Amino acid sequence: MKSLLLILSSVLLFSQKRIGLDSLQTKNVQELLGDDYGNIYLYKNRDLSFTKYDSLGSQLGKLMLTFPYKIQSVTNPLNIVMFSENAQEIKFLDQNLNEIQKINLNFGFIKAVYAEDLQFAWLLDDSNKTLFQYNFRNSSTISSFPFNINLQSLKDFLVYDNKVYILKENSFEVYNTKATLLYSSPISNARKLRRNNSDILIFGSQAIQIFDGKTLFQIFKNEGAKIVDKNNAGFLALIKDKLYLYSQIIDN
């Protein structure tokens, strides 16, 4: 019932605004991100392109990649983090999508990366079943933990407050650093995780949910969307190759 009320609230309390990106720009998009300055980022796996636009649809930057990459977030648009499982490397980009740093990961086989700041990253080594905290500024391992869990269908992960949040295609799981399962919930069409203060946001293709440490509940859904995202202005939804921003209506 709580989720139903939240879905209804998103319909009743949010206004829809079309963003000026045409259908050609949004065709074949695999990932959509929006920063808090109104800029839009589109990643296309077909041609391995990562492009930045302003809210009017003007292109601000474009990067053509050699390998598939996963973009962690654009929360800090001055330092965008992306990881390639194929190349086993991390890239940092500036606000113009120019590469400012590249880190080669000389471990076993890193399945996923979570850069918690501009110095430390968490690495999931699937070959050795180990979780590392890695200082990439001086190439040193800060700590490591045996982490023997099944990473099949892994979509994303992050570490916060000594808890490891794992997103798989059909489930959301929380572990401690000893790989003890603390929480698990089924989820559909999982895409990525993002931390917002102490809350964990879970993004699917059509819905966004929040885990507050105890409960998982939905905050936005659009059944017609291909991809959804969130910035401080509201919720972004790609619907039939058109991009919309849903902003909350303040009721006085």
Side-chain angles (χ1 to χ4, degrees), residues 114-151:
Y114 172 64
E116 58 181 329
D117 54 31
L118 300 180
Q119 184 173 3
F120 299 102
W122 290 90
L123 315 177
L124 270 177
D125 182 352
D126 195 26
S127 58
N128 296 308
K129 299 297 181 183
T130 305
L131 174 68
F132 292 96
Q133 187 183 30
Y134 182 60
N135 185 329
F136 51 80
R137 295 302 181 194
N138 60 21
S139 302
S140 63
T141 298
I142 305 303
S143 56
S144 64
F145 307 91
F147 209 74
N148 189 14
I149 71 167
N150 183 2
L151 297 179

Tab-separated table of all heavy atoms in Angstrom, residues 114-151:
chain	number	residue	atom	x	y	z
A	114	TYR	N	33.916	0.734	-6.909
A	114	TYR	CA	33.168	1.847	-6.334
A	114	TYR	C	34.180	2.852	-5.786
A	114	TYR	O	34.881	2.582	-4.814
A	114	TYR	CB	32.228	1.392	-5.221
A	114	TYR	CG	31.576	2.550	-4.482
A	114	TYR	CD1	30.704	3.406	-5.152
A	114	TYR	CD2	31.852	2.794	-3.147
A	114	TYR	CE1	30.120	4.480	-4.492
A	114	TYR	CE2	31.260	3.863	-2.475
A	114	TYR	CZ	30.395	4.703	-3.158
A	114	TYR	OH	29.812	5.769	-2.516
A	115	ALA	N	34.310	4.010	-6.439
A	115	ALA	CA	35.215	5.064	-5.986
A	115	ALA	C	34.469	5.925	-4.976
A	115	ALA	O	33.536	6.636	-5.330
A	115	ALA	CB	35.694	5.898	-7.167
A	116	GLU	N	34.880	5.837	-3.709
A	116	GLU	CA	34.140	6.555	-2.671
A	116	GLU	C	34.538	8.023	-2.588
A	116	GLU	O	33.782	8.850	-2.065
A	116	GLU	CB	34.333	5.879	-1.310
A	116	GLU	CG	35.762	5.759	-0.848
A	116	GLU	CD	35.869	5.062	0.500
A	116	GLU	OE1	34.930	5.202	1.309
A	116	GLU	OE2	36.865	4.379	0.743
A	117	ASP	N	35.728	8.378	-3.074
A	117	ASP	CA	36.178	9.773	-3.116
A	117	ASP	C	37.289	9.875	-4.154
A	117	ASP	O	37.422	8.994	-5.012
A	117	ASP	CB	36.619	10.256	-1.729
A	117	ASP	CG	37.664	9.355	-1.093
A	117	ASP	OD1	38.469	8.747	-1.835
A	117	ASP	OD2	37.686	9.243	0.143
A	118	LEU	N	38.092	10.928	-4.064
A	118	LEU	CA	39.137	11.151	-5.059
A	118	LEU	C	40.456	10.513	-4.673
A	118	LEU	O	41.498	10.816	-5.262
A	118	LEU	CB	39.325	12.655	-5.282
A	118	LEU	CG	38.091	13.414	-5.788
A	118	LEU	CD1	38.397	14.877	-5.976
A	118	LEU	CD2	37.566	12.796	-7.075
A	119	GLN	N	40.418	9.607	-3.686
A	119	GLN	CA	41.637	8.933	-3.259
A	119	GLN	C	41.462	7.431	-3.104
A	119	GLN	O	42.353	6.657	-3.432
A	119	GLN	CB	42.130	9.525	-1.934
A	119	GLN	CG	43.446	8.954	-1.441
A	119	GLN	CD	43.970	9.698	-0.225
A	119	GLN	OE1	43.327	10.601	0.293
A	119	GLN	NE2	45.146	9.316	0.242
A	120	PHE	N	40.285	7.014	-2.621
A	120	PHE	CA	40.055	5.613	-2.313
A	120	PHE	C	38.977	5.007	-3.206
A	120	PHE	O	38.011	5.676	-3.580
A	120	PHE	CB	39.636	5.434	-0.848
A	120	PHE	CG	40.667	5.913	0.140
A	120	PHE	CD1	40.520	7.128	0.787
A	120	PHE	CD2	41.791	5.142	0.407
A	120	PHE	CE1	41.469	7.571	1.695
A	120	PHE	CE2	42.743	5.573	1.322
A	120	PHE	CZ	42.588	6.789	1.960
A	121	ALA	N	39.152	3.727	-3.503
A	121	ALA	CA	38.143	2.969	-4.243
A	121	ALA	C	38.018	1.583	-3.634
A	121	ALA	O	38.985	1.035	-3.083
A	121	ALA	CB	38.514	2.861	-5.717
A	122	TRP	N	36.817	1.020	-3.723
A	122	TRP	CA	36.569	-0.362	-3.323
A	122	TRP	C	36.528	-1.220	-4.583
A	122	TRP	O	35.889	-0.848	-5.571
A	122	TRP	CB	35.256	-0.481	-2.559
A	122	TRP	CG	35.295	0.149	-1.201
A	122	TRP	CD1	34.974	1.437	-0.880
A	122	TRP	CD2	35.678	-0.487	0.021
A	122	TRP	NE1	35.130	1.646	0.470
A	122	TRP	CE2	35.566	0.480	1.055
A	122	TRP	CE3	36.103	-1.777	0.360
A	122	TRP	CZ2	35.856	0.200	2.381
A	122	TRP	CZ3	36.393	-2.061	1.681
A	122	TRP	CH2	36.278	-1.084	2.671
A	123	LEU	N	37.213	-2.361	-4.532
A	123	LEU	CA	37.310	-3.247	-5.683
A	123	LEU	C	36.806	-4.631	-5.309
A	123	LEU	O	37.180	-5.180	-4.265
A	123	LEU	CB	38.763	-3.368	-6.161
A	123	LEU	CG	39.593	-2.083	-6.275
A	123	LEU	CD1	41.026	-2.428	-6.682
A	123	LEU	CD2	38.974	-1.122	-7.268
A	124	LEU	N	35.966	-5.207	-6.154
A	124	LEU	CA	35.510	-6.584	-5.986
A	124	LEU	C	36.300	-7.479	-6.934
A	124	LEU	O	36.137	-7.400	-8.146
A	124	LEU	CB	34.008	-6.704	-6.292
A	124	LEU	CG	33.037	-6.499	-5.139
A	124	LEU	CD1	31.604	-6.582	-5.647
A	124	LEU	CD2	33.254	-7.520	-4.025
A	125	ASP	N	37.178	-8.309	-6.359
A	125	ASP	CA	38.002	-9.236	-7.136
A	125	ASP	C	37.279	-10.578	-7.193
A	125	ASP	O	37.225	-11.305	-6.194
A	125	ASP	CB	39.373	-9.371	-6.474
A	125	ASP	CG	40.315	-10.279	-7.261
A	125	ASP	OD1	39.861	-10.915	-8.229
A	125	ASP	OD2	41.496	-10.361	-6.893
A	126	ASP	N	36.728	-10.897	-8.346
A	126	ASP	CA	35.930	-12.115	-8.480
A	126	ASP	C	36.793	-13.370	-8.535
A	126	ASP	O	36.387	-14.440	-8.092
A	126	ASP	CB	35.053	-12.030	-9.736
A	126	ASP	CG	33.946	-13.070	-9.751
A	126	ASP	OD1	33.528	-13.511	-8.663
A	126	ASP	OD2	33.511	-13.440	-10.851
A	127	SER	N	38.011	-13.264	-9.051
A	127	SER	CA	38.873	-14.446	-9.185
A	127	SER	C	39.382	-14.929	-7.833
A	127	SER	O	39.484	-16.131	-7.582
A	127	SER	CB	40.056	-14.146	-10.108
A	127	SER	OG	40.817	-13.063	-9.619
A	128	ASN	N	39.689	-13.979	-6.927
A	128	ASN	CA	40.180	-14.336	-5.600
A	128	ASN	C	39.128	-14.197	-4.512
A	128	ASN	O	39.436	-14.380	-3.329
A	128	ASN	CB	41.398	-13.467	-5.244
A	128	ASN	CG	42.561	-13.723	-6.175
A	128	ASN	OD1	42.973	-14.860	-6.371
A	128	ASN	ND2	43.079	-12.653	-6.784
A	129	LYS	N	37.884	-13.821	-4.919
A	129	LYS	CA	36.779	-13.656	-3.972
A	129	LYS	C	37.199	-12.758	-2.810
A	129	LYS	O	37.125	-13.113	-1.626
A	129	LYS	CB	36.290	-15.006	-3.454
A	129	LYS	CG	35.758	-15.928	-4.532
A	129	LYS	CD	34.529	-15.338	-5.226
A	129	LYS	CE	33.968	-16.254	-6.295
A	129	LYS	NZ	32.815	-15.653	-7.009
A	130	THR	N	37.642	-11.545	-3.167
A	130	THR	CA	38.169	-10.609	-2.180
A	130	THR	C	37.621	-9.215	-2.434
A	130	THR	O	37.448	-8.801	-3.582
A	130	THR	CB	39.711	-10.571	-2.239
A	130	THR	OG1	40.231	-11.885	-2.089
A	130	THR	CG2	40.287	-9.678	-1.134
A	131	LEU	N	37.365	-8.491	-1.348
A	131	LEU	CA	36.977	-7.087	-1.403
A	131	LEU	C	38.162	-6.251	-0.921
A	131	LEU	O	38.671	-6.459	0.176
A	131	LEU	CB	35.756	-6.839	-0.515
A	131	LEU	CG	35.305	-5.391	-0.337
A	131	LEU	CD1	34.742	-4.827	-1.634
A	131	LEU	CD2	34.262	-5.288	0.778
A	132	PHE	N	38.619	-5.310	-1.763
A	132	PHE	CA	39.759	-4.451	-1.434
A	132	PHE	C	39.304	-3.019	-1.232
A	132	PHE	O	38.438	-2.525	-1.949
A	132	PHE	CB	40.778	-4.424	-2.585
A	132	PHE	CG	41.498	-5.707	-2.838
A	132	PHE	CD1	41.042	-6.590	-3.812
A	132	PHE	CD2	42.648	-6.034	-2.135
A	132	PHE	CE1	41.713	-7.761	-4.079
A	132	PHE	CE2	43.327	-7.212	-2.391
A	132	PHE	CZ	42.859	-8.084	-3.371
A	133	GLN	N	39.940	-2.345	-0.281
A	133	GLN	CA	39.904	-0.890	-0.255
A	133	GLN	C	41.268	-0.429	-0.753
A	133	GLN	O	42.311	-0.764	-0.173
A	133	GLN	CB	39.640	-0.334	1.137
A	133	GLN	CG	39.440	1.177	1.132
A	133	GLN	CD	39.254	1.757	2.521
A	133	GLN	OE1	39.783	1.235	3.498
A	133	GLN	NE2	38.505	2.842	2.617
A	134	TYR	N	41.266	0.335	-1.834
A	134	TYR	CA	42.484	0.625	-2.581
A	134	TYR	C	42.725	2.127	-2.641
A	134	TYR	O	41.816	2.900	-2.970
A	134	TYR	CB	42.329	0.060	-3.999
A	134	TYR	CG	43.505	0.226	-4.918
A	134	TYR	CD1	44.751	-0.319	-4.621
A	134	TYR	CD2	43.372	0.917	-6.119
A	134	TYR	CE1	45.824	-0.178	-5.491
A	134	TYR	CE2	44.428	1.063	-7.001
A	134	TYR	CZ	45.663	0.510	-6.670
A	134	TYR	OH	46.716	0.655	-7.538
A	135	ASN	N	43.937	2.556	-2.288
A	135	ASN	CA	44.352	3.945	-2.436
A	135	ASN	C	45.012	4.086	-3.809
A	135	ASN	O	46.147	3.660	-4.003
A	135	ASN	CB	45.330	4.337	-1.325
A	135	ASN	CG	45.697	5.816	-1.369
A	135	ASN	OD1	45.728	6.435	-2.430
A	135	ASN	ND2	45.969	6.385	-0.202
A	136	PHE	N	44.276	4.666	-4.770
A	136	PHE	CA	44.805	4.723	-6.131
A	136	PHE	C	45.765	5.892	-6.331
A	136	PHE	O	46.414	5.986	-7.366
A	136	PHE	CB	43.685	4.758	-7.169
A	136	PHE	CG	42.624	5.801	-6.942
A	136	PHE	CD1	42.829	7.124	-7.300
A	136	PHE	CD2	41.395	5.452	-6.395
A	136	PHE	CE1	41.855	8.078	-7.111
A	136	PHE	CE2	40.401	6.401	-6.205
A	136	PHE	CZ	40.633	7.716	-6.559
A	137	ARG	N	45.887	6.766	-5.345
A	137	ARG	CA	46.859	7.858	-5.458
A	137	ARG	C	48.281	7.355	-5.253
A	137	ARG	O	49.216	7.858	-5.874
A	137	ARG	CB	46.534	8.968	-4.446
A	137	ARG	CG	45.215	9.685	-4.696
A	137	ARG	CD	45.155	10.314	-6.066
A	137	ARG	NE	43.890	11.014	-6.285
A	137	ARG	CZ	43.456	11.427	-7.463
A	137	ARG	NH1	44.174	11.177	-8.539
A	137	ARG	NH2	42.308	12.051	-7.590
A	138	ASN	N	48.444	6.377	-4.357
A	138	ASN	CA	49.786	5.828	-4.156
A	138	ASN	C	49.863	4.326	-4.439
A	138	ASN	O	50.833	3.664	-4.050
A	138	ASN	CB	50.294	6.127	-2.737
A	138	ASN	CG	49.394	5.532	-1.662
A	138	ASN	OD1	48.630	4.607	-1.916
A	138	ASN	ND2	49.491	6.061	-0.451
A	139	SER	N	48.830	3.789	-5.102
A	139	SER	CA	48.803	2.379	-5.529
A	139	SER	C	49.044	1.412	-4.371
A	139	SER	O	49.883	0.516	-4.448
A	139	SER	CB	49.838	2.144	-6.644
A	139	SER	OG	49.604	2.981	-7.736
A	140	SER	N	48.296	1.586	-3.298
A	140	SER	CA	48.459	0.708	-2.137
A	140	SER	C	47.111	0.175	-1.674
A	140	SER	O	46.077	0.853	-1.790
A	140	SER	CB	49.138	1.445	-0.981
A	140	SER	OG	48.334	2.513	-0.530
A	141	THR	N	47.111	-1.044	-1.146
A	141	THR	CA	45.902	-1.647	-0.588
A	141	THR	C	45.782	-1.254	0.882
A	141	THR	O	46.689	-1.504	1.679
A	141	THR	CB	45.952	-3.175	-0.716
A	141	THR	OG1	46.013	-3.521	-2.106
A	141	THR	CG2	44.719	-3.813	-0.102
A	142	ILE	N	44.665	-0.640	1.244
A	142	ILE	CA	44.435	-0.211	2.621
A	142	ILE	C	43.929	-1.365	3.466
A	142	ILE	O	44.382	-1.592	4.582
A	142	ILE	CB	43.423	0.953	2.662
A	142	ILE	CG1	43.898	2.103	1.765
A	142	ILE	CG2	43.211	1.436	4.096
A	142	ILE	CD1	45.255	2.640	2.089
A	143	SER	N	42.993	-2.120	2.933
A	143	SER	CA	42.436	-3.266	3.653
A	143	SER	C	41.865	-4.248	2.641
A	143	SER	O	41.564	-3.879	1.504
A	143	SER	CB	41.348	-2.816	4.633
A	143	SER	OG	40.323	-2.091	3.952
A	144	SER	N	41.735	-5.508	3.040
A	144	SER	CA	41.130	-6.517	2.178
A	144	SER	C	40.328	-7.482	3.028
A	144	SER	O	40.671	-7.737	4.189
A	144	SER	CB	42.191	-7.261	1.367
A	144	SER	OG	43.049	-7.986	2.216
A	145	PHE	N	39.260	-8.017	2.460
A	145	PHE	CA	38.352	-8.908	3.173
A	145	PHE	C	37.982	-10.082	2.266
A	145	PHE	O	37.658	-9.861	1.091
A	145	PHE	CB	37.063	-8.171	3.563
A	145	PHE	CG	37.285	-6.891	4.319
A	145	PHE	CD1	37.402	-5.681	3.637
A	145	PHE	CD2	37.381	-6.892	5.698
A	145	PHE	CE1	37.601	-4.494	4.320
A	145	PHE	CE2	37.576	-5.708	6.399
A	145	PHE	CZ	37.688	-4.503	5.709
A	146	PRO	N	38.034	-11.307	2.776
A	146	PRO	CA	37.495	-12.432	1.998
A	146	PRO	C	36.010	-12.162	1.730
A	146	PRO	O	35.267	-11.785	2.636
A	146	PRO	CB	37.694	-13.635	2.928
A	146	PRO	CG	38.733	-13.208	3.891
A	146	PRO	CD	38.572	-11.729	4.076
A	147	PHE	N	35.592	-12.321	0.482
A	147	PHE	CA	34.219	-11.981	0.120
A	147	PHE	C	33.708	-13.001	-0.889
A	147	PHE	O	33.578	-12.731	-2.081
A	147	PHE	CB	34.169	-10.562	-0.454
A	147	PHE	CG	32.859	-9.864	-0.209
A	147	PHE	CD1	32.533	-9.395	1.057
A	147	PHE	CD2	31.952	-9.683	-1.225
A	147	PHE	CE1	31.327	-8.765	1.295
A	147	PHE	CE2	30.750	-9.055	-1.013
A	147	PHE	CZ	30.428	-8.597	0.255
A	148	ASN	N	33.424	-14.172	-0.371
A	148	ASN	CA	33.059	-15.307	-1.220
A	148	ASN	C	31.548	-15.375	-1.402
A	148	ASN	O	30.846	-16.166	-0.770
A	148	ASN	CB	33.579	-16.611	-0.603
A	148	ASN	CG	33.424	-17.791	-1.559
A	148	ASN	OD1	33.171	-17.608	-2.738
A	148	ASN	ND2	33.568	-18.995	-1.038
A	149	ILE	N	31.039	-14.515	-2.268
A	149	ILE	CA	29.624	-14.559	-2.624
A	149	ILE	C	29.512	-14.715	-4.137
A	149	ILE	O	30.445	-14.445	-4.882
A	149	ILE	CB	28.854	-13.303	-2.153
A	149	ILE	CG1	29.271	-12.080	-2.988
A	149	ILE	CG2	29.061	-13.049	-0.670
A	149	ILE	CD1	28.360	-10.900	-2.799
A	150	ASN	N	28.348	-15.132	-4.568
A	150	ASN	CA	28.093	-15.320	-5.994
A	150	ASN	C	27.859	-13.964	-6.654
A	150	ASN	O	26.915	-13.254	-6.320
A	150	ASN	CB	26.870	-16.225	-6.173
A	150	ASN	CG	26.581	-16.521	-7.639
A	150	ASN	OD1	27.302	-16.089	-8.536
A	150	ASN	ND2	25.520	-17.258	-7.887
A	151	LEU	N	28.738	-13.598	-7.585
A	151	LEU	CA	28.628	-12.315	-8.272
A	151	LEU	C	28.022	-12.444	-9.670
A	151	LEU	O	28.104	-11.510	-10.467
A	151	LEU	CB	30.003	-11.650	-8.356
A	151	LEU	CG	30.643	-11.281	-7.016
A	151	LEU	CD1	32.012	-10.660	-7.238
A	151	LEU	CD2	29.751	-10.344	-6.221
